[in-house]
Amino acid sequence: MADAALVDWATLETDGLAGLHAADDEPALRAWNTRFFGDKGLVKAAMGGIAKVPKESRAAFGQEANRVKVALETEYAARLDSAREAALVAGLTADPLDVTLPGRPRPRGVLHPATQILRQIYAICADMGFQVYRSREVESDEFNFELLNMPEHHPARDMWDTFFTETPGQILRTHTSPGQIHVMREMAPNPVRVILPGMCYRNEAISTRSEIQFLQVEGLVIGEGVTMADLKGTLTAFARRMFGPDRQVRIRSSYFPFTEPSIEVDIDWPKEDPNRDRLTKGTGWLEILGAGMVHPTVLRNGGYDPDKVTGFAFGMGPQRMLMLKAAIDDIRLFWGNDVRFLAQF
Ligand code: FA5
């Protein structure tokens, strides 16, 4: 095929097909394609021969040219497909993969039980018109104690065994109550209805009911004419939604320096649970929160006039609540990171 213009189409076709059948992998086929269909390829050169064809034969020349081009292109595409498939099969044979084996199931993750109970609390509180407010975990002594009516050396500070930081006056908050002051100072003199969730830290003995790091959700409501009856109503409605109508709620009088009067709320532990005595110290009740009417001094520290507004506050333990709901007998399971425990929720 020195002079392609002189080659007739039938010879080009025979040569082309022979070349295609000799090429047995993709690179060889691509090289063939360049040789026949490239810019300087044989097909193009053969088409150039049309100038030398007598006018009356040109239509027949064109038809023959098209037939051969289509035949070669079709065969090229088919050979390319089978070369690719052969390469794939060769690869799989070299590195066998049993596609009939069942796949390995990927376990589906779940939200941590602490996150789940927090979300339930948010949902119930949102229905009652509370907004969620975030507050810091490293607090000043001033916010954690002083502004909550516990000046230095106040004996009530002993209720919260404190972790100190290396910076004087900076501590890990022992409860979410300092958030009350942050909210008040931001909101005064407007009414408030918020919850403040977050982690708290206490340097105390770890037991089945107490951790050194645990969650609390603080609640704070301030406005004109807010009363103890509103507090009791709110907490009872909350407990009914959280634990169901069959659980009993017990309200006891208590003491916190930042509320007056102060109460604590207990829920009865299911009678059929054999761990009941151990977990409730024989009482049958588990404390889930502390609460009360915001002390006038605290209202004043927050920027409110206690002669004009009143308020109530509560601080609850979400983990203790989930312990009750799901009969979990050891609070240490929460941060123990045992997937067998976590996956049950
Ligand atoms: C307080 O911390 C008060 N700040 C609560 C409060 C807020 C009272 C607003 C009045 C007004 P107490 O120490 O009782 O109170 O803790 C409140 C709740 O947090 C407890 O009922 C309990 O559910 C949970 N809690 C307390 N300590 C731990 C702990 N070590 N581990 C797990 N949960 C705890």
Side-chain angles (χ1 to χ4, degrees):
M1 271 183 282
D3 184 354
L6 300 178
V7 172
D8 69 286
W9 287 105
T11 312
L12 192 73
E13 183 181 13
T14 316
D15 287 353
L17 291 174
L20 273 177
H21 291 131
D24 49 11
D25 60 7
E26 193 171 335
L29 285 163
R30 293 204 176 280
W32 174 93
N33 191 46
T34 310
R35 194 158 86 84
F36 277 78
F37 284 99
D39 275 352
K40 293 178 181 149
L42 299 172
V43 172
K44 206 163 183 189
M47 288 300 289
I50 198 160
K52 293 181 189 156
V53 176
K55 256 206 179 112
E56 61 280 12
S57 305
R58 280 196 187 158
F61 180 93
Q63 272 168 15
E64 181 65 355
N66 264 339
R67 187 190 65 74
V68 171
K69 264 162 72 173
V70 170
L72 290 178
E73 274 166 0
T74 311
E75 186 61 12
Y76 171 69
R79 292 283 299 158
L80 200 59
D81 272 356
S82 53
R84 281 178 179 160
E85 201 173 307
L88 201 69
V89 171
L92 287 174
T93 320
D95 183 13
L97 171 78
D98 186 349
V99 291
T100 64
L101 280 177
R104 288 189 200 96
R106 271 172 186 257
R108 245 178 111 198
V110 290
L111 288 176
H112 193 284
T115 307
Q116 293 188 34
I117 186 78
L118 276 180
R119 290 192 180 181
Q120 280 175 39
I121 294 171
Y122 299 161
I124 296 172
C125 290
D127 283 350
M128 296 198 280
F130 286 83
Q131 285 182 306
V132 178
Y133 188 100
R134 303 267 166 197
S135 171
R136 48 192 294 191
E137 285 178 30
V138 179
E139 266 297 356
S140 61
D141 182 276
E142 189 191 11
F143 275 76
N144 197 82
F145 292 118
E146 272 175 54
L147 295 171
L148 293 173
N149 204 20
M150 282 178 279
E152 214 181 339
H153 305 305
H154 192 290
R157 285 185 175 217
D158 288 349
M159 290 164 74
W160 294 275
D161 303 293
T162 310
F163 282 115
F164 298 88
T165 71
E166 285 172 356
T167 314
Q170 295 292 308
I171 61 168
L172 298 187
R173 68 174 172 196
T174 59
H175 52 173
T176 40
S177 299
Q180 289 186 30
I181 305 285
H182 291 292
V183 175
M184 286 190 221
R185 291 195 170 176
E186 200 172 304
M187 298 294 289
N190 299 304
V192 168
R193 198 188 296 176
V194 296
I195 52 169
L196 298 118
M199 211 60 94
C200 302
Y201 304 86
R202 286 187 201 174
N203 191 3
E204 61 183 39
I206 297 178
S207 71
T208 48
R209 300 152 20 120
S210 297
E211 269 278 17
I212 54 172
Q213 176 181 354
F214 58 95
L215 288 165
Q216 275 193 351
V217 176
E218 190 86 6
L220 178 67
V221 174
I222 298 176
E224 280 176 32
V226 175
T227 67
M228 190 75 182
D230 297 320
L231 171 60
K232 283 181 165 176
T234 304
L235 293 179
T236 310
F238 177 86
R240 295 256 174 279
R241 280 224 23 213
M242 180 56 92
F243 299 104
D246 299 336
R247 282 292 171 76
Q248 288 185 45
V249 178
R250 182 172 79 168
I251 297 180
R252 284 178 290 115
S253 75
S254 183
Y255 169 75
F256 296 101
F258 34 89
T259 45
E260 180 59 37
S262 304
I263 57 170
E264 273 177 326
V265 175
D266 305 328
I267 302 275
D268 68 323
W269 192 273
K271 293 197 176 51
E272 55 282 6
D273 186 339
N275 297 316
R276 184 174 192 249
D277 270 6
R278 183 170 59 84
L279 289 166
T280 63
K281 295 184 181 159
T283 65
W285 300 92
L286 192 77
E287 173 206 316
I288 56 159
L289 63 86
M293 298 304 292
V294 180
H295 196 286
T297 303
V298 176
L299 280 174
R300 229 174 273 120
N301 288 342
Y304 286 89
D305 180 350
D307 292 330
K308 293 206 179 112
V309 295
T310 49
F312 67 73
F314 55 84
M316 51 193 169
Q319 290 160 279
R320 295 249 178 103
M321 287 184 190
L322 187 58
M323 289 175 78
L324 271 166
K325 274 175 79 103
I328 298 167
D329 61 6
D330 194 333
I331 198 168
R332 286 167 290 197
L333 288 165
F334 276 92
W335 310 146
N337 271 344
D338 184 335
V339 178
R340 288 167 302 178
F341 166 73
L342 299 176
Q344 293 173 55
F345 295 90

